[in-house]
Amino acid sequence: MRTMVKGANVGLSALSEDVGSVVVSLGWSSATGEGDADVSVLLLDENGKVRDDADFCFYNTPVAGDGSVQLLGKTPSTDGDEDRISFDLDAVPQAVDRLVIAASRYRGARFGELDDLRVTLADSAGEALLSFSVEEAGEVSALVFGELYRRSGAWKFRAVGQGYASGLAGLAGDFGVDIDDDAAAAEAEDSAAGDRTAAVESKEPVETAGRDTEADGGARGAAGVALPAPRSATATPSAAGTAAPEAGAPAVGVATAASAPRSALPDAAPPVAAAPGPRRPRTARKKVTIQRVAKKSLAENDAWQPARLFPVPALRTDRERETRATSVVLAVMAQVPEFGRRLTAGFGAPAGRMETFTEVSLPHGDTPRRPDGVIRVERAGKLWTALVETKTNGNPLKDDQVQAYMDIAARRGYEAVITLSNDVALEGSPLVAVRVDGRRKHKVALWHLSWADVAHQAQMLIRHEGVGNAAHAWILAELLQYLQHENSGCHGFQNMGASWVPVRKGIDDETLCVGDPRAVQVIESWERLVRQVCLGLGGELGQKVLPLQRSRRGADPTVRRTEQADQLCAQGRLEAGLRIEGMPGALTLSADLRTGKLRTSVDVPSAEQGYPLSRIKRLLRQLDAAPADLHIETLLEGDAPGPRGTLERLRPEPADLLPRDGAQIAGFRLSLLKGMGSGRGSAETGFIRSVDGAVHRFHTTVVAHLDAKGPRRGRTGDAPPAE
C-alpha cells in the first residue's frame, strides 16, 4: 500500500488493474471513542463547480452521479470507525472531471479534536492501494481529505488535507452548491406541506466565516435521521402489513420515529406532497415522516393468517431453509435496485443492471460444484460476477466449500465470493481459512454478510430512507417479515459458543485463570453480539449505532481481545459501549457474570446554566415515563462520588441528588439493572436474548426521552457562561 503526503498524486492504474470500482474509507479516532463526522462528495465539472445541486452527495442525498457515487455508511474497524464511499469510476458521467472527498463535524466540534485522520482507497477486490494521513487539522469543522480526478482518460488520486472553518455549508458553497439553511423558512415550508414529523430538528444558527449556516454544517435531528423518497409520498404498508400496493403507485418514503418503541406507530395523517419545483439542498438533517396507519384487517379473528409473498412455516430442514433464504434475498436484490445496490456497492460491484441465479452448476475437477447463488451486474458491456455461499441457523461456513468457490472464481475470471450466514465477521478473526494463489494474476475478493446485515439494510430502506415505488416497498416489507420469522433460520448471531458455559462457571467458582484461551473465545462472541445489537437498534431508529472503539490506529485486534479476556478473568465482567447518533453520551453495557446482572447506563452532561436543583428537576421531567427502578447518580467534578437513588425515591425528593458540600455537578449517570440469561443460545432464557432486551428497554424507556442536543456549547475561545 502506498503512503502519500499532502499534495502528492498517483494514477490508480499504476497501483492495480481492478480500479473500475473503488471504495474510499475515511477514518478517525478519539480518546473517548465518541468523536464522529459525516462524509460528503462533490462531483465537479472542468470549471471546478457542481453542474447542479444533485452533484452534492451527503447524508441527505447519499447517492449521486446516476448511482456511480454512493455513501455506504459507517462500519467498525480495528482502529475505530470507517465511513465508506463506493465509486463506480467507469460509470461517472463524462461531464464530471473531479470528485472531491470531504467530511464535516457538527455542534461546535472541530477536526483538531480527533486523532488519526486518514483516508484509504481500495480496489474492487478489496485490496488497499493507498493511504493518506492528515496531520494537525486544527480548528476546522469541514475537511477535504482528497480528490479523484481525470487525466488523459485515466483516474488519479490527490492527497489534499484542506480545512474549512465555515463547515459543510461553506465547503459546498465554494464549489457552487446553493445551500438552503434558513431554519425559519424550512420550518414554514414543512408546515405548509402538511408533514407530520417524528422529531424536532435542533437548529442553533452560528455565524461562521461570514455565512449564516446551521451550526457547523447542519444540526442533528433530536430523534431519527431519514431520507424521504424523492417523489410525492403515499401510504406504505409496514413490515407487518399484508396488502400489496396498486401497480404504478407513486413513490414512497417510509419511516418511523427514532424514539418509538417496537410496537405500532401512533396515528398520523398521510404526508402531503410538497409543491413541485427545484429545492436547494439543506445541510440540516431531513425530518422523518410517520407512515399512515394500516387499514383495519378484514379477517374475522386473529387466527386468520395473512397470505405472504415468502411463506416459511413449511420449511423443515436446514437445506430447505438455505435454499429458500438464498432464493428470496437474491430475487429481492434483483427486483429492488436500491436494495441490491446497497448490499453490493461495498464489494466493488458497479452500478448497473443486476441479475441473480440459484443452484448454478460449475465445473471443478471431477465433481461439479453448485454454489447457492450467483450475482451478475452489467454496466457498459462489462460484467461483475460473485458466487454466493449461504448458511442458516447455527450452521458454520465450511473452509473446503469456500476454498472451492474461490478457486472456481479465479479460473473463470469472477470478481468475488460472498458468504452469507448468521455469524458476524471480526477483524483479525476470519470465519473461514482460505488459501490465495499468489501466482494467479486475477484477484478474487472474499466478502461476508450476516443475515443481521441484510435485515438492517432492508429496515433502513423500508422504514426510514424510502424506495423508488410502492411495489418495491411492499416487497422489502415481505422480505423483512420473512427474515424475522422464527422458522426462517436467518435470525443473526445466536450462539455464544462452546466456551461460554465453562467460562461463566469458572468465574462463578473463581477457578478461571488469566490466560485461559476460552476467555478469548467468549470475548469474540461478545463482540459479535454487540455488533448485532447495534445493527438491530440502528435499523429501528434509522440512525447510526456503532460499537464504541477506543483503540489507537495500528492496534492489533488480537492483542486487544487478549487484554479484554484477562480483564474478564480478573473482574468477571463483559463491557461494551454503543455510540448512537444524536445521543449526548455513549450507552454503556455491562454483563456481570458473578452477580448475573446486566447494567445499561448513560452519562448525561449537566446543563451549563441554571441552579443545580433546577437542572435536576429538568432531568426528572424528561424521565417522567421512565421505570421507577431507574438508578440516578450525580457525577461531580474531579470524579468524586456523588449522591444517588432510584427514580421512585427521587421524584418526590429531587434535592436528594444535590451534593452536600456544594461541589460542582458535572452530569448524571442513569442506569438500569436486569437479570442476565445464562444459556449460550438465543432462547427466551438465553444470554443473547437478555442482552438485546436490556438494550432496547433502556433506549425506549430512558434514552429516547432525553434531550438529544445535550448542553449548549460556546464557540472555541468563548468563556463559559456564568451561572
Side-chain angles (χ1 to χ4, degrees):
M1 181 170 64
R2 176 171 298 192
T3 301
M4 303 188 67
V5 297
K6 186 173 182 177
N9 61 78
V10 63
L12 299 186
S13 59
L15 304 177
S16 172
E17 296 180 353
D18 303 319
V19 291
S21 295
V22 298
V23 174
V24 173
S25 300
L26 305 186
W28 40 79
S29 62
S30 63
T32 63
E34 299 177 25
D36 197 10
D38 287 312
V39 303
S40 54
V41 179
L42 294 111
L43 290 70
L44 310 181
D45 60 18
E46 59 183 5
N47 299 316
K49 300 291 184 181
V50 297
R51 297 168 299 168
D52 53 47
D53 292 341
D55 283 342
F56 180 30
C57 183
F58 68 120
Y59 43 75
N60 278 344
T61 311
V63 181
D66 299 326
S68 60
V69 179
Q70 179 167 351
L71 307 187
L72 301 178
K74 287 180 167 55
T75 183
S77 70
T78 302
D79 308 321
D81 299 325
E82 287 186 344
D83 220 323
R84 301 184 303 155
I85 315 164
S86 170
F87 293 93
D88 185 355
L89 298 179
D90 291 338
V92 173
Q94 285 298 317
V96 174
D97 190 62
R98 291 164 54 200
L99 303 167
V100 175
I101 304 164
S104 56
R105 303 203 70 193
Y106 41 89
R107 282 210 198 128
R110 300 291 184 261
F111 276 97
E113 301 164 358
L114 298 178
D115 302 319
D116 305 325
L117 294 164
R118 62 197 181 277
V119 56
T120 59
L121 183 146
D123 63 13
S124 58
E127 180 178 344
L129 303 180
L130 61 85
S131 68
F132 166 53
S133 296
V134 180
E135 306 293 341
E136 300 179 358
E139 297 297 312
V140 298
S141 55
L143 181 67
V144 175
F145 282 75
E147 62 181 18
L148 292 161
Y149 63 99
R150 299 183 197 260
R151 280 295 181 272
S152 302
W155 285 96
K156 303 184 75 173
F157 177 85
R158 179 183 291 115
V160 179
Q162 176 186 349
Y164 282 75
S166 50
L168 177 61
L171 181 151
D174 282 355
F175 290 109
V177 180
D178 187 11
I179 294 293
D180 178 7
D181 268 337
D182 189 331
E187 293 259 339
E189 181 180 341
D190 288 337
S191 176
D195 287 338
R196 298 287 297 270
T197 60
V200 180
E201 293 178 355
S202 169
K203 300 183 182 293
E204 297 178 8
V206 177
E207 185 176 322
T208 56
R211 298 176 186 270
D212 290 331
T213 68
E214 305 244 341
D216 301 294
R220 297 285 175 119
V225 176
L227 306 174
R231 306 172 217 165
S232 59
T234 61
T236 303
S238 67
T242 60
E246 297 179 2
V252 186
V254 189
T256 184
S259 59
R262 287 187 274 188
S263 57
L265 292 170
D267 292 349
V272 180
R279 297 183 62 179
R280 294 178 292 165
R282 297 184 191 144
T283 59
R285 290 279 181 177
K286 288 187 179 180
K287 295 181 179 180
V288 181
T289 55
I290 302 176
Q291 62 188 17
R292 182 187 294 173
V293 177
K295 294 180 180 179
K296 182 179 179 181
S297 174
L298 301 181
E300 289 186 0
N301 54 63
D302 294 340
W304 286 25
Q305 295 297 316
R308 290 292 177 192
L309 184 62
F310 309 120
V312 291
L315 299 176
R316 294 183 176 86
T317 67
D318 285 341
R319 182 57 186 164
E320 289 178 346
R321 292 185 181 91
E322 289 177 10
T323 303
R324 176 71 61 82
T326 304
S327 182
V328 166
V329 72
L330 292 185
V332 175
M333 288 173 64
Q335 295 304 315
V336 184
E338 300 95 330
F339 182 65
R341 179 65 180 153
R342 188 89 176 225
L343 291 183
T344 59
F347 301 157
R353 181 174 66 90
M354 178 182 294
E355 288 190 18
T356 54
F357 310 87
T358 60
E359 299 296 327
V360 176
S361 179
L362 298 173
H364 182 66
D366 297 332
T367 306
R369 292 280 185 156
R370 288 180 177 271
D372 292 315
V374 177
I375 303 172
R376 304 205 87 173
V377 182
E378 185 269 338
R379 178 82 186 215
K382 296 181 180 179
L383 281 178
W384 180 90
T385 307
L387 304 181
V388 180
E389 171 62 9
T390 303
K391 297 294 181 184
T392 56
N393 278 335
N395 298 314
L397 295 164
K398 297 180 179 179
D399 294 352
D400 58 338
Q401 280 186 322
V402 178
Q403 182 69 63
Y405 298 144
M406 292 287 288
D407 293 340
I408 292 172
R411 286 198 307 268
R412 301 181 70 86
Y414 296 163
E415 283 70 24
V417 172
I418 301 173
T419 57
L420 181 55
S421 73
N422 279 319
D423 216 336
V424 178
L426 299 178
E427 297 82 6
S429 182
L431 297 176
V432 290
V434 296
R435 303 179 308 277
V436 178
D437 190 346
R439 296 171 297 179
R440 284 197 174 113
K441 185 177 181 180
H442 181 73
K443 294 182 295 183
V444 178
L446 177 61
W447 305 99
H448 179 74
L449 275 174
S450 74
W451 286 112
D453 286 316
V454 177
H456 171 78
Q457 299 298 348
Q459 278 184 310
M460 293 299 293
L461 285 171
I462 186 64
R463 295 179 176 173
H464 304 287
E465 298 179 5
V467 290
N469 62 54
H472 290 172
W474 180 71
I475 291 174
L476 277 178
E478 288 294 296
L479 170 66
L480 196 56
Q481 177 74 23
Y482 174 88
L483 295 176
Q484 294 174 343
H485 193 281
E486 60 182 10
N487 198 33
S488 70
C490 306
H491 306 130
F493 180 72
Q494 53 186 326
N495 197 314
M496 291 294 291
S499 298
W500 169 252
V501 173
V503 167
R504 183 173 54 80
K505 290 183 177 178
I507 290 175
D508 187 53
D509 56 24
E510 300 184 4
T511 58
L512 186 67
C513 300
V514 172
D516 193 319
R518 295 175 299 181
V520 177
Q521 296 172 8
V522 170
I523 290 296
E524 290 182 349
S525 296
W526 171 247
E527 190 172 339
R528 290 186 169 98
L529 173 57
V530 170
R531 291 197 180 185
Q532 178 166 291
V533 169
C534 289
L535 287 173
L537 186 59
E540 290 189 8
L541 303 180
Q543 295 171 283
K544 290 172 288 190
V545 181
L546 293 167
L548 198 61
Q549 300 279 1
R550 294 188 173 92
S551 57
R552 297 282 294 181
R553 181 161 52 130
D556 187 341
T558 303
V559 174
R560 171 173 57 82
R561 292 177 189 127
T562 300
E563 294 174 350
Q564 293 174 344
D566 292 343
Q567 293 177 357
L568 171 63
C569 295
Q571 302 173 4
R573 290 196 303 271
L574 293 166
E575 296 183 334
L578 278 62
R579 181 161 54 84
I580 303 174
E581 184 181 43
M583 201 174 87
L587 190 158
T588 302
L589 175 63
S590 175
D592 194 323
L593 275 62
R594 289 197 175 106
T595 63
K597 295 288 187 181
L598 287 169
R599 176 185 292 270
T600 45
S601 60
V602 63
D603 290 355
V604 181
S606 175
E608 295 181 355
Q609 297 181 349
Y611 293 106
L613 185 58
S614 299
R615 303 182 208 169
I616 294 171
K617 291 181 177 179
R618 188 181 307 123
L619 175 65
L620 295 182
R621 284 195 297 270
Q622 294 179 36
L623 299 172
D624 182 63
D629 59 344
L630 177 70
H631 288 247
I632 305 177
E633 176 186 358
T634 302
L635 303 178
L636 306 180
E637 299 285 354
D639 296 329
R644 64 183 70 185
T646 63
L647 183 59
E648 182 179 29
R649 183 175 68 83
L650 293 170
R651 276 172 175 152
E653 297 293 341
D656 287 351
L657 282 177
L658 290 172
R660 302 304 178 191
D661 55 0
Q664 291 294 318
I665 297 177
F668 305 94
R669 177 167 297 153
L670 313 179
S671 305
L672 270 182
L673 294 174
K674 178 183 182 295
M676 185 183 78
S678 58
R680 72 181 192 180
S682 59
E684 194 69 36
T685 58
F687 177 72
I688 294 175
R689 191 74 65 88
S690 65
V691 171
D692 185 68
V695 171
H696 281 84
R697 176 179 181 243
F698 186 67
H699 186 274
T700 55
T701 62
V702 179
V703 176
H705 302 286
L706 297 175
D707 182 2
K709 295 181 294 184
R712 179 172 298 183
R713 297 176 52 174
R715 283 179 289 173
T716 303
D718 290 349
E723 184 171 316

